[in-house]
Amino acid sequence: MSTATQDTPPRVGARVRVQKFGTALSNMVMPNIGAFIAWGLITALFIEQGWLQGIFSALKNPDGWVAHIGGWGSYDGGGIVGPMITYLLPILIGYTGGRMVHGNRGAVVGAIATIGVVTGSDVPMFMGAMLMGPLGGWCMKKLDALWEGKVRPGFEMLVDNFSAGILGMLLAIVGFFGVGPIVSAFTRGAGNAVDFLVDNDLLPLTSLLIEPAKVLFLNNAINHGVLTPLGTTQALETGKSILFLLETNPGPGLGVLLAFMFFGRGAARASAPGAAIIQFFGGIHEIYFPYVLMKPKLIAATILGGMTGVFINVLFGSGLRAPAAPGSIIAIYAQTPGNSFLGVTLAVLGATAVSFAVAAFLLKTDKDTDEPDLAAATANMESMKGKKSSVASALAGGVATGPGSEMGPIHTIVFACDAGMGSSAMGASVLRRKIQSAGFGDVKVSNAAISNLTDTYDLVVSHRDLTDRARQRTPSARHVSVDDFMGSPRYDEIVETLAETNGAAGADATPVPEESAPTTDGDVLSLDSIVLAGTARSTADAIDEAGQLLVAAGAVEQAYVSAMHDRESSISTYMGNGLAIPHGTNEAKDAIRRTGLSFVRYAEPVDWNGKPAEFVVGIAGAGKDHMALLTKIAQVFLKADDVARLRAATTAEEIKAILTAAD
């Protein structure tokens, strides 16, 4: 499965930065969605236009306990609705943001800092809370680090309490006089921009941004960073907001899934009905993302469907009282005021119909005769998300068991590839480190060629195109398929499986050392085999460039370069994190004279079958004496700082020092 790690991308682009920002916002809002729902329900029941208020007004009792709770009439300014949106919700967000950065101490200071912006503004301060909460946690973390280990015994509580209190006071003052007024002005400006779009009938155009952003996992930055705060402010004034419906409408995704049910092929068609139920009723929209990634032109269907839904909601003046999370039709109806049910229903149906019609047309006219690879598209989605998807496992599968296997303890794991010299060694090194970090030091992780496998392993990890071959050699083992060898989310699944089958791991478990291998770094990678400015512009040219360096070093015969192309034509050697490691097939080992590595860096990444390869390491392994250096290289490419050093190096000596000095 094509996946990539979120923590150490080869280049942190704008999409990744926005995605991480959106994830941080989402992590502050989502744990508190229950409070938003509670506020929405109280608003729906008790405000002046609420359901119960209408009943009590009809009974000539407008100033009863319902009005008291809603805070209107003779109790104007009181009740529950106002204080919840003014104080409770922002403080919860600030508390959660501080906790994300520095645990409970960060949470407390984040909440104190948030009350400053809340009282220093005249609008619900969700954006301010998203700023001050993490800022409070970060400041507390840095302050604690100043005197960590320096406080005399018996004075720890005194220092901790007063440092948190003083810092909280200072941040609250800063929030009151500085951040609060600034965020208030920004909120009003953003609200005016939304009003402009509504007044000029331009709001449906937001789907041009929102629908592609959803598939790229950038929607959280838009939804929780802008739409939720603005929508809540609007709902406080008018009782509802259309902004809550821009991203949560399940119609566009449902239309795509229905099109696959009728006009799709293979696994995509078979899995679409279950995905549609999860998406529409469960509200987990990411379940349909792989279907769009598999056929990118289907993004047109979601955009047109989204625009249709927004247009209908604008036409009927529809809106929700509070955010609907997750985006389930159940959650949407729960937050829909009485005068918006018709508009919301028609918007969902209209979005579904248009999305279905467009997607069906695109699928029917698709000239691609190959069955779409849903598993690869699912893994690509996880790559952009930066972690495995619990719902997507229904599409791609997790740890698969063989016919005779039982979910017993796992003691031996083998990473298998075609030749057993490059990708499997790198993958095994990364997986070994992850497993040891989780405390499962007694689990042995090795690598091998598929032809050398024996049915003695508990779990086998292999490229998805090689899993069937690996399963034939090891039918009783559990099997995991990956594509990104450096940072597949499947590795996290393996760790979770170990926790289930092997029991709780201890952090101080004795790790199994890396398999012994001669550390002949100087002989394996010579300075003459390091190129700082590669000239290749294609995968084939890059393989030739790396292979010819091996030939020039006397490590391989010319025939080995052809075998490197053969290897690439069957299984991609792209590792992830901007690294590719082309090497020959298992049958070409006779063309290897001695173990050798080559290293080529490219200023403009090479398109490696759709993946950006900035660094290419050619491999020729006659024995195991290259494994130690490959392990070091794997650790380098798991660290963003080390990759940045490789990118900035100006001499071959610097490159070699970075690669050979890695821990």
Side-chain angles (χ1 to χ4, degrees), residues 54-105:
I55 297 175
F56 271 66
S57 296
L59 297 175
K60 308 300 183 183
N61 186 19
D63 296 326
W65 62 271
V66 174
H68 192 181
I69 292 177
W72 71 283
S74 60
Y75 299 98
D76 190 22
I80 298 178
V81 174
M84 282 187 72
I85 192 173
T86 304
Y87 301 106
L88 175 64
L89 298 181
I91 291 175
L92 280 175
I93 291 173
Y95 181 92
T96 305
R99 188 186 183 95
M100 287 165 48
V101 178
H102 193 47
N104 288 333
R105 286 175 59 73

Short mmCIF file of all heavy atoms in Angstrom, two decimals, residues 54-105:
data_model
loop_
_atom_site.label_atom_id
_atom_site.label_comp_id
_atom_site.label_asym_id
_atom_site.label_seq_id
_atom_site.Cartn_x
_atom_site.Cartn_y
_atom_site.Cartn_z
N GLY A 54 -41.94 27.66 21.87
CA GLY A 54 -43.19 27.80 21.13
C GLY A 54 -44.35 27.19 21.88
O GLY A 54 -45.46 27.73 21.90
N ILE A 55 -44.09 26.05 22.51
CA ILE A 55 -45.15 25.38 23.27
C ILE A 55 -45.58 26.24 24.45
O ILE A 55 -46.77 26.44 24.71
CB ILE A 55 -44.67 24.00 23.74
CG1 ILE A 55 -44.38 23.10 22.52
CG2 ILE A 55 -45.69 23.36 24.66
CD1 ILE A 55 -43.79 21.77 22.89
N PHE A 56 -44.58 26.77 25.20
CA PHE A 56 -44.91 27.56 26.39
C PHE A 56 -45.58 28.88 26.01
O PHE A 56 -46.41 29.38 26.75
CB PHE A 56 -43.64 27.81 27.21
CG PHE A 56 -43.38 26.73 28.21
CD1 PHE A 56 -43.06 25.44 27.80
CD2 PHE A 56 -43.46 26.98 29.58
CE1 PHE A 56 -42.83 24.43 28.71
CE2 PHE A 56 -43.24 25.97 30.49
CZ PHE A 56 -42.91 24.70 30.07
N SER A 57 -45.18 29.43 24.87
CA SER A 57 -45.83 30.67 24.43
C SER A 57 -47.29 30.40 24.10
O SER A 57 -48.17 31.22 24.39
CB SER A 57 -45.11 31.23 23.21
OG SER A 57 -43.78 31.61 23.54
N ALA A 58 -47.55 29.25 23.50
CA ALA A 58 -48.93 28.89 23.17
C ALA A 58 -49.75 28.70 24.43
O ALA A 58 -50.97 28.92 24.43
CB ALA A 58 -48.94 27.62 22.32
N LEU A 59 -49.07 28.29 25.51
CA LEU A 59 -49.77 28.09 26.78
C LEU A 59 -49.82 29.37 27.61
O LEU A 59 -50.18 29.35 28.79
CB LEU A 59 -49.08 26.99 27.59
CG LEU A 59 -49.08 25.58 26.96
CD1 LEU A 59 -48.26 24.62 27.81
CD2 LEU A 59 -50.52 25.08 26.82
N LYS A 60 -49.47 30.51 26.99
CA LYS A 60 -49.52 31.82 27.66
C LYS A 60 -48.60 31.84 28.89
O LYS A 60 -48.90 32.46 29.91
CB LYS A 60 -50.96 32.17 28.08
CG LYS A 60 -51.98 32.06 26.95
CD LYS A 60 -51.64 32.99 25.80
CE LYS A 60 -52.72 32.92 24.71
NZ LYS A 60 -52.38 33.77 23.56
N ASN A 61 -47.43 31.15 28.76
CA ASN A 61 -46.49 31.14 29.87
C ASN A 61 -45.08 31.41 29.33
O ASN A 61 -44.18 30.59 29.46
CB ASN A 61 -46.53 29.78 30.58
CG ASN A 61 -45.67 29.79 31.83
OD1 ASN A 61 -45.34 30.84 32.36
ND2 ASN A 61 -45.28 28.60 32.29
N PRO A 62 -44.90 32.56 28.70
CA PRO A 62 -43.63 32.82 28.01
C PRO A 62 -42.47 33.07 28.97
O PRO A 62 -41.32 33.03 28.54
CB PRO A 62 -43.93 34.06 27.18
CG PRO A 62 -45.00 34.77 27.95
CD PRO A 62 -45.84 33.70 28.56
N ASP A 63 -42.76 33.38 30.24
CA ASP A 63 -41.67 33.72 31.16
C ASP A 63 -41.40 32.61 32.17
O ASP A 63 -40.88 32.85 33.25
CB ASP A 63 -42.00 35.02 31.92
CG ASP A 63 -42.09 36.21 30.97
OD1 ASP A 63 -41.33 36.20 29.99
OD2 ASP A 63 -42.90 37.11 31.23
N GLY A 64 -41.71 31.37 31.82
CA GLY A 64 -41.50 30.25 32.74
C GLY A 64 -40.06 29.78 32.76
O GLY A 64 -39.13 30.46 32.31
N TRP A 65 -39.85 28.55 33.26
CA TRP A 65 -38.49 28.03 33.43
C TRP A 65 -37.77 27.80 32.10
O TRP A 65 -36.55 27.85 32.03
CB TRP A 65 -38.53 26.74 34.24
CG TRP A 65 -39.30 25.61 33.60
CD1 TRP A 65 -40.63 25.36 33.73
CD2 TRP A 65 -38.79 24.62 32.73
NE1 TRP A 65 -40.99 24.26 33.00
CE2 TRP A 65 -39.88 23.77 32.38
CE3 TRP A 65 -37.53 24.33 32.20
CZ2 TRP A 65 -39.73 22.69 31.52
CZ3 TRP A 65 -37.38 23.24 31.37
CH2 TRP A 65 -38.48 22.43 31.02
N VAL A 66 -38.56 27.57 31.03
CA VAL A 66 -37.93 27.41 29.72
C VAL A 66 -37.23 28.70 29.32
O VAL A 66 -36.10 28.70 28.83
CB VAL A 66 -38.98 26.98 28.68
CG1 VAL A 66 -38.35 26.97 27.29
CG2 VAL A 66 -39.53 25.61 29.01
N ALA A 67 -37.91 29.83 29.52
CA ALA A 67 -37.30 31.11 29.19
C ALA A 67 -36.08 31.37 30.07
O ALA A 67 -35.09 31.95 29.63
CB ALA A 67 -38.32 32.23 29.35
N HIS A 68 -36.17 30.94 31.33
CA HIS A 68 -35.05 31.13 32.25
C HIS A 68 -33.80 30.38 31.75
O HIS A 68 -32.70 30.92 31.74
CB HIS A 68 -35.43 30.61 33.64
CG HIS A 68 -34.47 31.03 34.70
ND1 HIS A 68 -34.62 30.65 36.01
CD2 HIS A 68 -33.34 31.78 34.64
CE1 HIS A 68 -33.62 31.16 36.72
NE2 HIS A 68 -32.83 31.84 35.91
N ILE A 69 -33.98 29.16 31.29
CA ILE A 69 -32.85 28.39 30.78
C ILE A 69 -32.31 29.02 29.51
O ILE A 69 -31.10 29.15 29.31
CB ILE A 69 -33.28 26.93 30.52
CG1 ILE A 69 -33.57 26.23 31.85
CG2 ILE A 69 -32.19 26.17 29.75
CD1 ILE A 69 -34.07 24.81 31.70
N GLY A 70 -33.21 29.42 28.60
CA GLY A 70 -32.77 30.00 27.33
C GLY A 70 -32.15 31.36 27.50
O GLY A 70 -31.28 31.76 26.72
N GLY A 71 -32.54 32.10 28.52
CA GLY A 71 -31.94 33.41 28.73
C GLY A 71 -32.52 34.48 27.84
O GLY A 71 -31.81 35.14 27.12
N TRP A 72 -33.83 34.65 27.89
CA TRP A 72 -34.43 35.70 27.08
C TRP A 72 -35.59 36.29 27.87
O TRP A 72 -35.92 35.85 28.96
CB TRP A 72 -34.92 35.16 25.74
CG TRP A 72 -36.12 34.29 25.82
CD1 TRP A 72 -36.15 33.00 26.23
CD2 TRP A 72 -37.47 34.66 25.55
NE1 TRP A 72 -37.43 32.52 26.21
CE2 TRP A 72 -38.27 33.52 25.79
CE3 TRP A 72 -38.10 35.83 25.13
CZ2 TRP A 72 -39.64 33.51 25.62
CZ3 TRP A 72 -39.46 35.82 24.95
CH2 TRP A 72 -40.23 34.67 25.20
N GLY A 73 -36.28 37.26 27.31
CA GLY A 73 -37.42 37.89 28.00
C GLY A 73 -36.95 38.60 29.25
O GLY A 73 -36.02 39.39 29.25
N SER A 74 -37.59 38.29 30.39
CA SER A 74 -37.24 38.95 31.65
C SER A 74 -35.90 38.48 32.16
O SER A 74 -35.36 39.06 33.09
CB SER A 74 -38.32 38.66 32.71
OG SER A 74 -38.42 37.26 32.93
N TYR A 75 -35.33 37.44 31.56
CA TYR A 75 -34.04 36.92 31.99
C TYR A 75 -32.98 37.21 30.93
O TYR A 75 -32.02 36.48 30.77
CB TYR A 75 -34.11 35.41 32.25
CG TYR A 75 -35.08 35.03 33.32
CD1 TYR A 75 -36.37 34.59 33.00
CD2 TYR A 75 -34.73 35.13 34.66
CE1 TYR A 75 -37.27 34.25 33.99
CE2 TYR A 75 -35.62 34.79 35.66
CZ TYR A 75 -36.88 34.34 35.32
OH TYR A 75 -37.77 34.00 36.30
N ASP A 76 -33.16 38.26 30.16
CA ASP A 76 -32.24 38.57 29.07
C ASP A 76 -30.81 38.69 29.61
O ASP A 76 -30.55 39.41 30.55
CB ASP A 76 -32.65 39.89 28.41
CG ASP A 76 -31.88 40.12 27.12
OD1 ASP A 76 -31.38 39.14 26.55
OD2 ASP A 76 -31.79 41.28 26.72
N GLY A 77 -29.89 37.99 29.00
CA GLY A 77 -28.50 37.99 29.45
C GLY A 77 -28.21 36.87 30.41
O GLY A 77 -27.05 36.64 30.75
N GLY A 78 -29.22 36.18 30.90
CA GLY A 78 -28.99 35.08 31.82
C GLY A 78 -29.13 33.76 31.13
O GLY A 78 -28.92 33.63 29.93
N GLY A 79 -29.53 32.75 31.88
CA GLY A 79 -29.74 31.44 31.30
C GLY A 79 -28.44 30.70 31.02
O GLY A 79 -27.38 31.02 31.56
N ILE A 80 -28.53 29.70 30.14
CA ILE A 80 -27.41 28.82 29.86
C ILE A 80 -26.78 29.10 28.51
O ILE A 80 -25.57 29.00 28.34
CB ILE A 80 -27.88 27.34 29.92
CG1 ILE A 80 -28.39 27.00 31.32
CG2 ILE A 80 -26.75 26.40 29.55
CD1 ILE A 80 -28.92 25.59 31.44
N VAL A 81 -27.58 29.45 27.52
CA VAL A 81 -27.10 29.55 26.15
C VAL A 81 -25.94 30.51 26.02
O VAL A 81 -24.88 30.18 25.46
CB VAL A 81 -28.25 29.96 25.21
CG1 VAL A 81 -27.72 30.20 23.80
CG2 VAL A 81 -29.33 28.89 25.19
N GLY A 82 -26.10 31.74 26.52
CA GLY A 82 -25.05 32.74 26.40
C GLY A 82 -23.76 32.36 27.09
O GLY A 82 -22.68 32.40 26.49
N PRO A 83 -23.81 32.01 28.38
CA PRO A 83 -22.56 31.63 29.07
C PRO A 83 -21.85 30.44 28.45
O PRO A 83 -20.62 30.37 28.47
CB PRO A 83 -23.04 31.31 30.49
CG PRO A 83 -24.28 32.13 30.66
CD PRO A 83 -24.93 32.13 29.32
N MET A 84 -22.60 29.49 27.90
CA MET A 84 -21.95 28.33 27.30
C MET A 84 -21.09 28.72 26.11
O MET A 84 -19.93 28.30 25.98
CB MET A 84 -22.99 27.29 26.87
CG MET A 84 -23.54 26.44 27.99
SD MET A 84 -24.60 25.09 27.39
CE MET A 84 -23.37 24.00 26.67
N ILE A 85 -21.66 29.54 25.21
CA ILE A 85 -20.91 29.88 24.00
C ILE A 85 -19.84 30.94 24.29
O ILE A 85 -18.80 30.99 23.63
CB ILE A 85 -21.87 30.38 22.90
CG1 ILE A 85 -21.11 30.46 21.57
CG2 ILE A 85 -22.48 31.71 23.25
CD1 ILE A 85 -21.99 30.77 20.39
N THR A 86 -20.09 31.77 25.31
CA THR A 86 -19.12 32.82 25.62
C THR A 86 -17.94 32.31 26.43
O THR A 86 -16.78 32.68 26.16
CB THR A 86 -19.81 33.96 26.40
OG1 THR A 86 -20.91 34.45 25.63
CG2 THR A 86 -18.83 35.10 26.67
N TYR A 87 -18.21 31.43 27.40
CA TYR A 87 -17.15 31.00 28.31
C TYR A 87 -16.81 29.51 28.18
O TYR A 87 -15.64 29.15 27.99
CB TYR A 87 -17.57 31.30 29.76
CG TYR A 87 -17.82 32.76 30.02
CD1 TYR A 87 -19.12 33.24 30.16
CD2 TYR A 87 -16.77 33.67 30.10
CE1 TYR A 87 -19.36 34.60 30.39
CE2 TYR A 87 -17.00 35.02 30.33
CZ TYR A 87 -18.29 35.47 30.47
OH TYR A 87 -18.53 36.81 30.68
N LEU A 88 -17.82 28.64 28.29
CA LEU A 88 -17.53 27.22 28.38
C LEU A 88 -16.81 26.68 27.14
O LEU A 88 -15.74 26.06 27.25
CB LEU A 88 -18.83 26.43 28.59
CG LEU A 88 -18.67 24.90 28.59
CD1 LEU A 88 -17.82 24.45 29.76
CD2 LEU A 88 -20.04 24.20 28.62
N LEU A 89 -17.36 26.91 25.96
CA LEU A 89 -16.79 26.32 24.75
C LEU A 89 -15.38 26.83 24.46
O LEU A 89 -14.47 26.03 24.20
CB LEU A 89 -17.72 26.56 23.56
CG LEU A 89 -19.12 25.94 23.69
CD1 LEU A 89 -19.95 26.22 22.43
CD2 LEU A 89 -19.04 24.44 23.93
N PRO A 90 -15.13 28.16 24.50
CA PRO A 90 -13.75 28.60 24.28
C PRO A 90 -12.77 28.09 25.32
O PRO A 90 -11.63 27.71 24.99
CB PRO A 90 -13.86 30.13 24.32
CG PRO A 90 -15.28 30.43 23.97
CD PRO A 90 -16.06 29.30 24.58
N ILE A 91 -13.16 28.05 26.59
CA ILE A 91 -12.24 27.60 27.63
C ILE A 91 -11.94 26.11 27.46
O ILE A 91 -10.80 25.67 27.68
CB ILE A 91 -12.83 27.90 29.02
CG1 ILE A 91 -12.83 29.41 29.26
CG2 ILE A 91 -12.03 27.20 30.11
CD1 ILE A 91 -13.49 29.83 30.55
N LEU A 92 -12.94 25.32 27.06
CA LEU A 92 -12.68 23.91 26.79
C LEU A 92 -11.67 23.75 25.66
O LEU A 92 -10.76 22.90 25.74
CB LEU A 92 -13.99 23.20 26.42
CG LEU A 92 -14.92 22.81 27.56
CD1 LEU A 92 -16.22 22.22 27.01
CD2 LEU A 92 -14.24 21.80 28.49
N ILE A 93 -11.81 24.56 24.61
CA ILE A 93 -10.87 24.49 23.49
C ILE A 93 -9.47 24.90 23.94
O ILE A 93 -8.47 24.25 23.61
CB ILE A 93 -11.35 25.38 22.34
CG1 ILE A 93 -12.62 24.79 21.71
CG2 ILE A 93 -10.27 25.54 21.27
CD1 ILE A 93 -13.26 25.67 20.66
N GLY A 94 -9.38 25.99 24.71
CA GLY A 94 -8.09 26.43 25.21
C GLY A 94 -7.45 25.41 26.13
O GLY A 94 -6.24 25.17 26.07
N TYR A 95 -8.26 24.81 26.99
CA TYR A 95 -7.76 23.77 27.90
C TYR A 95 -7.21 22.58 27.11
O TYR A 95 -6.12 22.08 27.38
CB TYR A 95 -8.90 23.31 28.81
CG TYR A 95 -8.52 22.25 29.83
CD1 TYR A 95 -8.08 22.61 31.09
CD2 TYR A 95 -8.60 20.89 29.53
CE1 TYR A 95 -7.74 21.65 32.04
CE2 TYR A 95 -8.25 19.93 30.45
CZ TYR A 95 -7.82 20.31 31.71
OH TYR A 95 -7.47 19.35 32.63
N THR A 96 -7.96 22.16 26.09
CA THR A 96 -7.53 21.02 25.27
C THR A 96 -6.26 21.36 24.51
O THR A 96 -5.34 20.53 24.40
CB THR A 96 -8.63 20.61 24.29
OG1 THR A 96 -9.83 20.35 25.02
CG2 THR A 96 -8.24 19.38 23.50
N GLY A 97 -6.18 22.59 23.96
CA GLY A 97 -4.98 23.00 23.24
C GLY A 97 -3.75 23.02 24.13
O GLY A 97 -2.66 22.58 23.72
N GLY A 98 -3.89 23.51 25.35
CA GLY A 98 -2.76 23.50 26.27
C GLY A 98 -2.36 22.11 26.69
O GLY A 98 -1.16 21.80 26.82
N ARG A 99 -3.33 21.25 26.85
CA ARG A 99 -3.04 19.86 27.23
C ARG A 99 -2.30 19.13 26.11
O ARG A 99 -1.44 18.28 26.38
CB ARG A 99 -4.36 19.14 27.55
CG ARG A 99 -4.18 17.73 28.13
CD ARG A 99 -5.52 17.03 28.28
NE ARG A 99 -5.35 15.73 28.91
CZ ARG A 99 -5.48 15.49 30.20
NH1 ARG A 99 -5.79 16.49 31.02
NH2 ARG A 99 -5.29 14.29 30.70
N MET A 100 -2.62 19.43 24.87
CA MET A 100 -1.93 18.80 23.75
C MET A 100 -0.43 19.09 23.78
O MET A 100 0.38 18.25 23.39
CB MET A 100 -2.51 19.30 22.42
CG MET A 100 -3.88 18.75 22.09
SD MET A 100 -4.68 19.71 20.76
CE MET A 100 -3.35 19.81 19.54
N VAL A 101 -0.06 20.28 24.27
CA VAL A 101 1.34 20.70 24.26
C VAL A 101 2.08 20.26 25.51
O VAL A 101 3.22 19.79 25.43
CB VAL A 101 1.43 22.23 24.09
CG1 VAL A 101 2.88 22.69 24.13
CG2 VAL A 101 0.78 22.66 22.79
N HIS A 102 1.44 20.39 26.67
CA HIS A 102 2.18 20.14 27.92
C HIS A 102 1.32 19.54 29.02
O HIS A 102 1.41 19.93 30.18
CB HIS A 102 2.82 21.44 28.41
CG HIS A 102 3.85 21.27 29.49
ND1 HIS A 102 4.85 20.33 29.42
CD2 HIS A 102 4.02 21.92 30.68
CE1 HIS A 102 5.61 20.40 30.51
NE2 HIS A 102 5.12 21.35 31.28
N GLY A 103 0.48 18.60 28.67
CA GLY A 103 -0.26 17.85 29.68
C GLY A 103 -1.16 18.73 30.53
O GLY A 103 -1.66 19.78 30.09
N ASN A 104 -1.37 18.32 31.78
CA ASN A 104 -2.32 19.02 32.64
C ASN A 104 -1.86 20.43 32.98
O ASN A 104 -2.68 21.35 33.08
CB ASN A 104 -2.52 18.22 33.93
CG ASN A 104 -3.32 16.95 33.70
OD1 ASN A 104 -4.12 16.88 32.77
ND2 ASN A 104 -3.10 15.94 34.52
N ARG A 105 -0.55 20.61 33.19
CA ARG A 105 -0.06 21.96 33.51
C ARG A 105 -0.28 22.90 32.32
O ARG A 105 -0.70 24.05 32.48
CB ARG A 105 1.41 21.91 33.90
CG ARG A 105 1.62 21.33 35.29
CD ARG A 105 3.08 21.16 35.63
NE ARG A 105 3.85 22.39 35.59
CZ ARG A 105 3.78 23.38 36.48
NH1 ARG A 105 2.91 23.27 37.50
NH2 ARG A 105 4.52 24.45 36.38
#
